[in-house]
Amino acid sequence: MRILVVEDEKKTASFVRKALQAEGFAVDVCHGGDEALAAAAATPFDVLVLDIMLPGRDGLSVLRQLRERQNRTPVLLLSARGEVNERVEGLNMGADDYLPKPFDLVELVARVRALTRRTADNKSTVLRVADLTLDTLTRQARRGGADIELTAREYRLLEFLMRSAGRLCGRMMILEKVWDYGFDPGTNLVDVYIKRLREKIDADFEPKLLQTVRGMGYLLKEPS
Ligand code: CA
């Protein structure tokens, strides 16, 4: 986990760097806004600790530039006493958290750690049930090392079933979540799609993962 600390007060920057390093983070320090933008463009950081008041380009301007460049790195803003408007503006611009000065280093470390956990969660985009995987970024399904081609609707159905793995999914619930229907169209739509999906993910593989619970719905799970 790599953290960028942007703080022009050298003493504060040094304290923060040491506290984060003591917790096992790799830490880079910048003392100015332009320097911070250059560093963030060159290196993927897991969290930015960004002081609002900086000489030249200030922290809010850095944040705005980052988000305009589609950089979604979690940002913890540091704000001086009284910078309430700046703090609110920062949150509106996509900062993830803020800490007013003076702050306790223990609290800063805890907030940074919470933000790194969020990054880790966002990075895990692959759903898995037994040897069936579904990458929700690339929308690629795989089983037993083979790519499985899905239509858009089949993808939505499989994603829903995998996110609900181990839980019974009724037909009505599937219609709502996969087709956005708030009513039962009185067709066998769901059953037809389940059959197609089953041919793709289960027919050539063992064990069978997509189970029918007669009269109730469907269940995707690894048989125990
Ligand atoms: Ca400052």
Side-chain angles (χ1 to χ4, degrees):
M1 286 286 173
R2 189 164 207 95
I3 317 292
L4 177 63
V5 175
V6 189
E7 165 64 271
D8 58 309
E9 294 148 50
K10 301 223 160 94
K11 225 176 188 173
T12 309
S14 167
F15 283 140
V16 168
R17 178 169 53 82
K18 283 179 190 150
L20 289 170
Q21 282 173 340
E23 294 293 316
F25 294 110
V27 183
D28 290 4
V29 173
C30 291
H31 300 298
D34 287 316
E35 196 190 334
L37 277 179
T43 310
F45 290 96
D46 295 289
V47 174
L48 257 71
V49 177
L50 181 59
D51 189 29
I52 291 180
M53 284 295 284
L54 297 169
R57 186 188 285 281
D58 69 11
L60 292 183
S61 170
V62 171
L63 176 61
R64 185 182 300 116
Q65 277 292 317
L66 284 176
R67 296 306 188 235
E68 276 176 18
R69 294 176 186 178
Q70 307 302 318
N71 181 320
R72 306 263 168 249
T73 307
V75 168
L76 171 64
L77 282 179
L78 302 180
S79 67
R81 194 190 301 274
E83 289 177 350
V84 179
N85 291 338
E86 287 83 353
R87 204 178 290 163
V88 171
E89 201 184 331
L91 291 173
N92 286 337
M93 274 194 289
D96 299 84
D97 199 0
Y98 71 88
L99 199 53
K101 290 177 173 177
F103 53 82
D104 193 313
L105 281 174
V106 174
E107 186 173 8
L108 178 124
V109 169
R111 303 265 186 122
V112 168
R113 192 171 292 288
L115 290 177
T116 60
R117 269 198 297 271
R118 203 182 297 176
T119 311
D121 287 348
N122 289 344
K123 275 182 186 166
S124 64
T125 57
V126 179
L127 304 172
R128 181 182 299 274
V129 175
D131 61 343
L132 172 66
T133 59
L134 185 65
D135 188 322
T136 58
L137 269 189
T138 61
R139 305 200 148 210
Q140 181 64 59
R142 290 175 72 83
R143 187 160 183 199
D147 286 352
I148 298 170
E149 299 309 321
L150 299 174
T151 65
R153 189 70 67 180
E154 288 164 356
Y155 170 84
R156 275 187 77 175
L157 177 59
L158 183 58
E159 182 184 358
F160 173 66
L161 292 169
M162 289 186 83
R163 287 193 189 280
S164 315
R167 295 196 296 271
L168 176 69
C169 300
R171 278 185 189 74
M172 200 54 229
M173 189 196 288
I174 293 173
L175 282 168
E176 259 181 58
K177 302 290 182 186
V178 179
W179 276 269
D180 302 315
Y181 284 178
F183 59 95
D184 186 344
T187 67
N188 60 350
L189 191 61
V190 173
D191 311 76
V192 168
Y193 271 85
I194 289 282
K195 185 163 178 287
R196 282 194 209 164
L197 197 54
R198 191 171 262 149
E199 278 162 15
K200 292 189 176 182
I201 66 165
D202 264 349
D204 299 334
F205 303 96
E206 290 296 338
K208 306 303 179 198
L209 304 176
L210 185 47
Q211 303 164 25
T212 302
V213 182
R214 195 176 289 270
M216 300 189 68
Y218 300 96
L219 177 65
L220 188 73
K221 72 183 272 242
E222 186 170 5
S224 45

